[in-house]
Amino acid sequence: MSSVPQDLTSWARIPRLRALALGALLLLWAGASQARGVPDSFSDLAERLLPAVVNISTSQTVKETAQNAPEIPQFPPGSPFEEFFKDFMERQMRPDAPPRKITSLGSGFVIDPSGVVVTNNHVIADADEITVILQDNTQLKATIVGRDAKTDIAILKVKADKPLTAVKIGNSDNARIGDWILAIGNPFGLGGSVTAGIVSAHHRDINIGPYDDFIQTDASINRGNSGGPMFNMDGEVIGINTAIFSPSGGSVGLGFAIPSALAKPVIDQLRDFGHTRRGWLGVRIQAVTEEIAESLGLDKVRGALIAKVNEGEPAAQGGMQSGDIVLNFDNQPIPDFRKLQRIVAAAPVGKKIKVVVWRNEKEVPLEITIGELEKYEETAAAEEKGKEKSPTPKATTASAEMLGLKLSEITPELRQQFSVPEGVKGVIITDVSAQSDAAEKGLKAGDVILEVSQEEVLSPKEVQAKVDTAKKGGRKSVLLLVERQGNLQFVPLKVVEG
């Protein structure tokens, strides 16, 4: 570090000023030593990475139908072109018309010199043929190793006469907002293109999948970039460019990439098994709201609320119950229900996991052995068909009004009127006041209240008793477990205004 200028020595002898000056210099030195400056150029990095980025061309043969036929262009009435295109489309739609071939383009990147390529699942979905095009325009036929629609990741394999240039997958958790990134891909089929930008945000949920956890960037990403890599300044892949938000179809600075922390376990499983092996608890979860937290005595909004526990599944075997709020999973705090979805999916199948839930206004430790989601999905349909139907509840006319709801015990007539599945037991809602809290929360006629304050109810009288108990206990709201056409949800309703 350079010495203090001569003209500062006189006042630098003063202890207080000397301390301030030295402190400021130390702060400047520390910041300069830790911050990474703006690069003069990305050329060296791009030159090193481009050979590992590939273009992906797919083709699909389809029979022309009304659903997939192109639209007829709009012409002025009586135009000869209108009749021409109409005749053309009619010929295309004939039963004996030949099928046509649809082609599409995307991007990918090599992660193993032997020819292992990563891309988006939607890039190669429904493709009859897949061709990987290297930077030198070498075209290689590709086969699918494995694919996962839930995270939109696919693994391809190509055979080349020499080792291919590969890139390393880094850790997206180390990427900070504001860090520089490079995006390389095949926008609009133009071939290898490099764009630069920064990490704009983490953990974006754009509602395209159950495990949304995207990195947002302002780097220019367009159609054809899908499946291409997002690199950090060390040349490591920290994301797979997947989606854009755009009213025009072109880049407006809102690009989204699957973070490598989410993609890496999926990639490894697809390579090892040809399919994913996700963790599975056997529960249905929902968000914790302020009212739900208050009604259950939780200090603040956090965790994931268990709406349903499937009988015989890992969560039930580990002692988890409907109404529990998961606060900690495998020594990781759970701030919201989406975090629990992602962390459970990434948990190793067969591993015993320590879980902390909120139950009866206290923390309860559990231990759950993780199951496999894919096995459950394979057998779920067969198990559903094999379930025995419960007998129809005895007819009754008991009814009541409370909380802006008209309630009744389930009669055969009401079961038929509202299509309530056989075996569902509880109290049915027959009407909802338009001005009530229940209406604001989305309750409607035909919904069935299964539980109030986490206790089963079978009559309007039992519902009223639970509401009265909540009021006496000083609760501002009461928690209902509601069933609607096979879907369960906890709904908090106000019992005391304010």
Side-chain angles (χ1 to χ4, degrees), residues 380-394:
E383 290 178 353
E384 188 66 26
K385 290 180 181 178
K387 285 182 180 178
E388 294 183 0
K389 294 184 177 181
S390 301
T392 303
K394 183 180 179 181

Side-chain angles (χ1 to χ4, degrees), residues 195-252:
T195 57
I198 62 169
V199 174
S200 301
H202 287 297
H203 310 303
R204 288 300 196 211
D205 177 5
I206 58 176
N207 296 313
I208 65 173
Y211 305 112
D212 282 13
D213 191 27
F214 291 100
I215 299 173
Q216 180 184 325
T217 181
D218 66 344
S220 183
I221 295 175
N222 292 283
R223 292 177 180 174
N225 276 103
S226 290
M230 172 188 284
F231 292 104
N232 62 18
M233 291 297 97
D234 294 322
E236 299 172 333
V237 178
I238 60 167
I240 304 172
N241 300 318
T242 298
I244 60 173
F245 272 172
S246 172
S248 63
S251 174
V252 293

Side-chain angles (χ1 to χ4, degrees), residues 14-27:
I14 304 173
R16 187 167 180 270
L17 290 178
R18 185 190 300 121
L20 290 171
L22 288 175
L25 288 172
L26 285 172
L27 285 173

Side-chain angles (χ1 to χ4, degrees), residues 90 102 109 132 200 232 275 421 425 433 451:
E90 287 177 352
I102 298 175
F109 54 98
V132 169
S200 301
N232 62 18
H275 60 85
K425 299 179 181 180
S433 172
E451 296 179 1

